[in-house]
């Protein structure tokens, strides 16, 4: 029987974090198109290979979240990606939600699908080598009108049901209740919404008797909206983010990982550094690390451009960014505070 608590805690090995390489076909196509790279199944495989098989990535990554397609693909080493990762001590995970659709009661908001056939899919993903999973829900901020309590509750209820189902299947759930950065809202408004979202989530988790010790929370940072002219300092982001977490998240959970959510690589690195330092100063009771996608990939993709001859330079940029993000965690990042 799998020791889920041990698996969850191993994602927080000191100085290491997660790469979110779980873009859907549609999102991966858009991501590559932004760099002028034509996307098809083979190009998506090469895109995954660029990052997943980068030599030295195992020094900075404890796990990688994959898209279901990638579980079945082979790298240039002719091995299935999950097997290659496991051999290097990187845990393979998989995104299991079915994407979002408008919430009928409030069409500007979104709910996440994928519960209907989840138990059957989990059996297959586990056979294919995945040991942890991720489910993303999104919360939209628009003035004082959005989010609505109904949309928050429905998404958090689904996240809790997902977590319970995943644990029953012998895998670790990562819960990602993302508060979107799009909008003109203030950092104070974001703080209030994140507090409501996380408070609701942890309440529903308790109601559904989800095991908190083998649960990982993937959260947004508290940030002003992308259309707000005021730019937050890393110290402001850190204070608000850590205070919200300490007010809402029980000490029993395995740990907290942060998403980069529209930040530049430098912003995501600087904010993580400030959060890590402030968290330690406040004796945050759980380990904290990163679970970034674009913030780790952006510089490498700009160099790669889909060309084989650019792979070495692109991988060098990827490892350089991983090193910076790892250093931002500071010493002892994988250990819970007192």
């Amino acid at each position: 029987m799998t020791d889920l608590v041990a698996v969850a805690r191993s994602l927080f090995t000191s100085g290491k974090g997660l790469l979110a390489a779980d873009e859907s076909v549609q999102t991966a196509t858009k991501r590559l198109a932004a760099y002028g790279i034509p996307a098809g199944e083979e190009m998506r495989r090469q895109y995954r290979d660029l990052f997943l098989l980068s030599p030295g990535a195992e020094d900075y990554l404890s796990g990688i979240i994959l898209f279901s397609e990638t579980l079945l693909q082979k790298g240039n080493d002719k091995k299935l990606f999950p097997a290659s990762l496991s051999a290097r001590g990187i845990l393979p995970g998989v995104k299991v939600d079915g994407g979002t659709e408008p919430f009928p009661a409030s069409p500007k908001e979104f709910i996440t699908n994928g519960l209907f056939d989840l138990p059957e899919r989990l059996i297959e993903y586990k056979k294919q080598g995945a040991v942890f999973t991720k489910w993303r829900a999104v919360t939209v901020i628009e003035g004082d009108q959005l989010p609505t309590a109904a949309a928050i509750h429905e998404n958090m209820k689904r996240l809790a049901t997902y977590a319970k189902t995943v644990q029953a299947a012998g895998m670790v759930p990562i819960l990602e209740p993302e508060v979107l950065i799009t909008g003109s809202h203030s950092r104070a408004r974001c703080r209030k919404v994140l507090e409501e979202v996380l408070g609701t989530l942890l309440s529903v988790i308790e109601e559904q008797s989800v095991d908190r010790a083998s649960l990982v929370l993937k959260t947004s940072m508290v940030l002003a909206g992308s259309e707000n002219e005021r730019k937050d300092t890393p110290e402001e982001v850190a204070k608000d983010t850590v205070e919200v977490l300490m007010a809402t998240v029980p000490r029993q959970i395995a740990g907290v990982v942060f998403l980069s959510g529209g930040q530049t690589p430098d912003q995501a690195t600087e904010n993580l550094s400030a959060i890590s330092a402030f968290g330690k100063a406040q004796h945050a009771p759980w380990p904290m690390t990163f679970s970034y996608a674009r913030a780790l990939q952006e510089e490498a993709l700009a160099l790669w451009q889909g060309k084989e001859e650019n792979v070495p330079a692109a991988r060098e940029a990827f490892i350089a960014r991983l090193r910076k993000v790892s250093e931002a965690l500071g010493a002892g990042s994988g250990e819970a505070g007192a």
Side-chain angles (χ1 to χ4, degrees):
M1 193 171 173
T2 307
D3 184 344
L4 296 185
V5 175
V7 173
R9 287 180 178 167
S10 70
L11 291 171
F12 294 89
T13 303
S14 185
K16 295 185 181 184
L18 305 178
L19 168 65
D22 58 341
E23 301 93 343
S24 66
V25 171
Q26 185 181 8
T27 304
T29 300
K30 281 185 192 170
R31 181 78 47 87
L32 293 173
Y35 297 92
I37 304 168
E41 187 179 349
E42 172 55 19
M43 188 57 79
R44 287 195 302 276
R45 190 199 64 78
Q46 290 180 37
Y47 166 40
R48 303 308 190 194
D49 186 275
L50 174 69
F51 295 103
L52 273 51
L53 297 192
S54 276
E58 63 273 12
D59 294 337
Y60 308 105
L61 295 174
S62 56
I64 298 182
I65 310 168
L66 305 172
F67 185 58
S68 54
E69 173 185 64
T70 315
L71 288 173
L72 299 169
Q73 289 179 325
K74 292 182 178 180
N76 291 344
D77 61 357
K78 307 302 180 193
K79 297 176 186 171
L80 288 164
F81 281 125
S84 290
L85 295 176
S86 296
R88 293 157 65 208
I90 301 174
L91 295 180
V94 61
K95 163 191 156 78
V96 301
D97 67 74
T100 60
E101 68 175 15
F103 182 42
S106 176
K108 284 187 175 180
E109 297 182 278
F110 301 93
I111 49 170
T112 305
N113 291 318
L115 289 175
F116 177 68
D117 61 346
L118 183 58
E120 293 76 20
R121 288 189 291 121
L122 290 174
I123 292 169
E124 290 305 309
Y125 297 152
K126 196 173 181 183
K127 284 179 189 168
Q128 291 157 10
V131 297
F132 69 94
T133 64
K134 191 204 79 172
W135 179 289
R136 175 177 177 255
V138 297
T139 296
V140 178
I141 300 179
E142 189 177 288
D144 293 330
Q145 291 75 44
L146 300 180
T148 61
I152 290 175
H153 191 266
E154 181 60 31
N155 267 319
M156 299 310 108
K157 191 172 72 174
R158 292 184 184 201
L159 266 171
T161 301
Y162 143 78
K164 185 96 172 165
T165 306
V166 168
Q167 289 173 343
M171 300 166 85
V172 168
I174 296 181
L175 287 70
E176 182 181 4
E178 181 177 2
V179 175
L180 295 176
I181 197 171
T182 47
S184 57
H185 52 273
S186 66
R187 191 180 74 257
R189 175 69 175 140
C190 180
R191 174 175 174 149
K192 187 178 176 185
V193 169
L194 184 61
E195 195 157 356
E196 184 181 356
V197 166
L198 294 182
T200 304
L201 175 61
L202 275 304
S203 170
V204 177
I205 278 169
E206 199 166 339
E207 286 169 17
Q208 295 204 24
S209 302
V210 176
D211 174 33
R212 294 182 293 192
S214 59
L215 177 157
V216 174
L217 173 66
K218 178 169 178 172
T219 182
S220 314
M221 299 175 188
V222 176
L223 295 160
S226 54
E227 294 156 36
N228 189 317
E229 290 180 6
R230 192 188 183 289
K231 296 304 168 199
D232 310 307
T233 66
E235 292 72 25
E236 290 169 335
V237 172
K239 182 176 185 295
D240 281 353
T241 302
V242 173
E243 286 179 355
V244 167
L245 290 170
M246 292 187 73
T248 56
V249 180
R251 65 178 299 117
Q252 295 91 345
I253 73 158
V256 177
V257 298
F258 294 97
L259 59 94
S260 49
Q263 300 177 66
T264 67
D266 283 342
Q267 270 180 312
T269 304
E270 289 161 12
N271 285 335
L272 181 70
S273 178
I275 286 170
S276 184
F278 190 77
K280 284 169 194 163
Q282 297 299 308
H283 303 292
W286 4 253
M288 298 185 288
T289 190
F290 59 90
S291 177
Y292 290 172
R294 272 179 296 182
L296 294 175
Q297 297 172 330
E298 201 168 88
E299 294 149 316
L301 282 174
L303 287 167
W304 178 47
Q305 297 179 336
K307 296 174 182 172
E308 192 177 340
E309 62 268 27
N310 295 339
V311 166
R315 283 181 168 168
E316 194 176 319
F318 174 53
I319 297 298
R321 177 54 62 181
L322 273 176
R323 189 179 301 115
K324 287 178 186 174
V325 175
S326 172
E327 287 168 356
L329 293 168
S333 57
E335 299 161 10

